[in-house]
Amino acid sequence: MDTLYANARIAGTDKPQDLLVEEGRFTRIGEGLARELPAQGYDMTGIETVDLNGKLVCPPFCDTHLHLDYVFTARKPGAANESGTLFEGIQRWSDTKADLTVDEVKTRARKAVAMELRHGVQYIRSHADVTDPNLTSLKALLELREELKDVVTIQIVSFPQEGMYSYRGPHGETGAELVEEGLRMGADCVGGIPHYEACREFGERSMHTVVDLAVKYGRLIDVHCDETDDPNSRFVELLAALAHAEGIGEMTTASHTCSLGSADNSYFFHLTKLLKAARINFACAPTENLYLQGRQDTFPKRRGITRVKELTDNGINVSLGQDSMQDPWYPLGNGNMMIILDYVLHLAQMMSFAELDDALKFPTVNGATTMHLGDGYGIAEGRPANFIVLDATTPFEAVYERADVVRSVRAGCTLFTAETTVDTDLPIMRG
Ligand code: 17E
Ligand code: FE2
């Protein structure tokens, strides 16, 4: 369906804009098109007009860090995380993951995707735990990536939750071998978890393996990196240096990096030079890490998140992730990126008016940078007509009100409007 979306507010423009969408792409964007096009004799037959009443249009949200294979497992017998730590979460998942099946993972993940979609997300980077000799999570998410590609772009990380060198499968397979198998099967990104390896040397070796595999298979990198309050966990520097040496810094993401929240300033000052040169991305999961970190602290208690403000001020890309939805790590999480954004602005103390006016970049363009979406993303003529409408008229108001997403459009097709739930004809609701 070709559509003229009239009266859209787009950040950075003073006057309402009209967006013409034909064959799934933006073909014209400008002021007053609803008047001008017919006056210019443009053939408007078959073009429906939708009045957006001055509401804010922005590119879809990107959830750059989610574990779709873990969602809604928090209430499984044996999954309860009593200490609330990351490491007990990993243990509980390990203890309870033997009974996964492809169908059951897909059913849970499909529900999570529907929730994310309803909050305006159209791009998700999901980890798939490959420390499992059957690779059940990965098989399920590969199928789902294909089945749902018309409504959501899913990138999959071949992620060794139990370590590349700490994990041994029943036939002696290492986590590293399983990560590589995951790449051969079609995962988009190489994962790692150096802070979980048995010793620093294994963690360092895993960073070499991650970068080697990314080069060998031509994939992106997304490492769970330094997800600990321990300021001596400094794998991010090795990851950045190795990726930079291979010229793939921009294809690399360090997720979590909580230890930077505990590192001293002189170390961070030195590291910043490398990060700026390497141009790696950071993905922050503020709600989970606020909950999981600081658990060995009494008071003062650390906040757990990486240095979002300082990285941003140095021109280093930071994007956001929901990370968990009711899993052994975190009992909440509903895919609402406006909540995630709200937390990060508080935790990182980013509330100058300039920062607030610019804050929507975190779940949008910064996410697209992390995911390397390139020209496939953004509100511009010639690009796919993927966008959301927020119940606000300015970026500040959207952040201030934690605005609802009232419409989501993908390749010119409406996924939902405020009056509807996710369209039941979408493939996501079947199967
Ligand atoms: N696994 C992990 O290593 N870290 C996390 N925050 C979650 C899963 C949710
Ligand atoms: Fe994670």
Side-chain angles (χ1 to χ4, degrees):
M1 168 65 79
D2 294 341
T3 310
L4 181 69
Y5 291 94
N7 264 319
R9 186 60 77 168
I10 298 179
T13 57
D14 302 338
K15 303 244 173 67
Q17 305 283 307
D18 296 344
L19 307 130
L20 181 61
V21 172
E22 293 172 298
E23 294 180 6
R25 289 186 178 266
F26 297 112
T27 49
R28 296 279 297 273
I29 299 175
E31 266 175 65
L33 292 181
R35 268 191 332 276
E36 273 173 28
L37 289 176
Q40 290 166 4
Y42 198 88
D43 182 5
M44 300 295 284
T45 45
I47 298 178
E48 184 194 6
T49 298
V50 173
D51 190 347
L52 295 180
N53 297 313
K55 291 204 194 298
L56 186 68
V57 164
C58 69
F61 290 150
C62 305
D63 181 351
T64 63
H65 190 111
L66 182 62
H67 295 259
L68 279 172
D69 48 344
Y70 299 171
V71 294
F72 311 121
T73 58
R75 290 175 193 259
K76 258 170 107 165
N81 181 344
E82 277 156 31
S83 65
T85 59
L86 167 72
F87 291 96
E88 185 178 337
I90 297 174
Q91 188 60 47
R92 296 285 175 189
W93 170 251
S94 176
D95 293 346
T96 55
K97 73 187 187 183
D99 64 351
L100 300 182
T101 68
V102 167
D103 284 348
E104 131 348 275
V105 174
K106 282 173 72 179
T107 302
R108 287 187 286 103
R110 192 179 270 113
K111 177 175 167 196
V113 171
M115 288 171 65
E116 295 244 328
L117 276 187
R118 189 61 186 78
H119 287 115
V121 175
Q122 288 186 27
Y123 302 89
I124 298 173
R125 178 175 286 174
S126 175
H127 301 265
D129 178 15
V130 294
T131 45
D132 157 17
N134 301 317
L135 295 168
T136 305
S137 290
L138 181 67
K139 288 176 188 159
L141 296 186
L142 286 168
E143 287 184 21
L144 214 57
R145 180 180 72 182
E146 182 60 23
E147 287 168 26
L148 301 183
K149 68 179 190 308
D150 292 340
V151 294
V152 63
T153 302
I154 299 177
Q155 283 180 357
I156 300 171
V157 183
S158 186
F159 170 54
Q161 177 68 79
E162 295 186 55
M164 278 192 158
Y165 297 109
S166 296
Y167 177 83
R168 283 279 168 172
H171 309 293
E173 57 277 63
T174 63
E177 287 163 349
L178 290 162
V179 168
E180 182 163 10
E181 179 60 15
L183 299 175
R184 280 194 289 266
M185 287 167 64
D188 304 277
C189 312
V190 193
I193 184 164
H195 53 277
Y196 182 77
E197 303 287 355
C199 62
R200 189 172 76 192
E201 197 180 321
F202 288 7
E204 289 174 354
R205 193 190 306 165
S206 77
M207 293 300 85
H208 286 272
T209 305
V210 163
V211 174
D212 290 347
L213 287 173
V215 170
K216 180 173 174 190
Y217 290 90
R219 306 293 161 84
L220 303 169
I221 292 173
D222 195 322
V223 171
H224 277 66
C225 199
D226 306 325
E227 190 180 6
T228 160
D229 293 320
D230 176 4
N232 296 310
S233 186
R234 295 178 169 187
F235 296 103
V236 66
E237 68 182 23
L238 180 59
L239 175 65
L242 292 171
H244 186 42
E246 294 295 340
I248 56 172
E250 290 183 20
M251 298 171 74
T252 298
T253 300
S255 284
H256 299 296
T257 57
C258 309
S259 71
L260 290 182
S262 295
D264 72 44
N265 287 336
S266 64
Y267 173 69
F268 185 73
F269 178 76
H270 172 68
L271 178 68
T272 307
K273 281 184 290 186
L274 169 64
L275 298 178
K276 283 165 90 162
R279 301 183 62 79
I280 69 166
N281 306 287
F282 284 76
C284 175
T287 50
E288 280 69 8
N289 286 130
L290 178 60
Y291 180 67
L292 292 168
Q293 307 310 131
R295 292 289 180 156
Q296 284 80 37
D297 296 343
T298 50
F299 292 93
K301 214 186 246 293
R302 281 170 279 198
R303 295 174 180 220
I305 71 158
T306 195
R307 297 197 186 197
V308 178
K309 178 175 169 61
E310 293 72 17
L311 291 167
T312 301
D313 288 349
N314 277 287
I316 297 159
N317 185 55
V318 183
S319 60
L320 304 179
Q322 171 67 84
D323 204 11
S324 297
M325 284 188 189
Q326 300 194 36
D327 65 19
W329 290 265
Y330 184 68
L332 304 177
N334 65 8
N336 184 342
M337 297 307 291
M338 294 303 282
I339 294 179
I340 310 289
L341 176 60
D342 195 58
Y343 269 88
V344 94
L345 295 175
H346 284 85
L347 288 165
Q349 299 176 321
M350 298 183 76
M351 294 214 193
S352 72
F353 288 114
E355 286 167 330
L356 290 170
D357 288 342
D358 203 24
L360 281 179
K361 71 183 177 192
F362 287 108
T364 60
V365 289
N366 287 16
T369 301
T370 292
M371 292 182 71
H372 248 248
L373 300 178
D375 284 351
Y377 185 87
I379 313 275
E381 290 176 3
R383 299 197 183 184
N386 300 345
F387 66 92
I388 57 177
V389 182
L390 289 156
D391 191 11
T393 54
T394 63
F396 176 82
E397 192 190 327
V399 172
Y400 179 66
E401 294 282 356
R402 301 165 190 88
D404 287 338
V405 175
V406 293
R407 179 183 291 268
S408 180
V409 175
R410 182 148 169 121
C413 297
T414 301
L415 298 180
F416 72 85
T417 67
E419 296 77 40
T420 65
T421 53
V422 170
D423 188 338
T424 46
D425 285 341
L426 293 173
I428 191 172
M429 302 309 291
R430 296 196 295 263

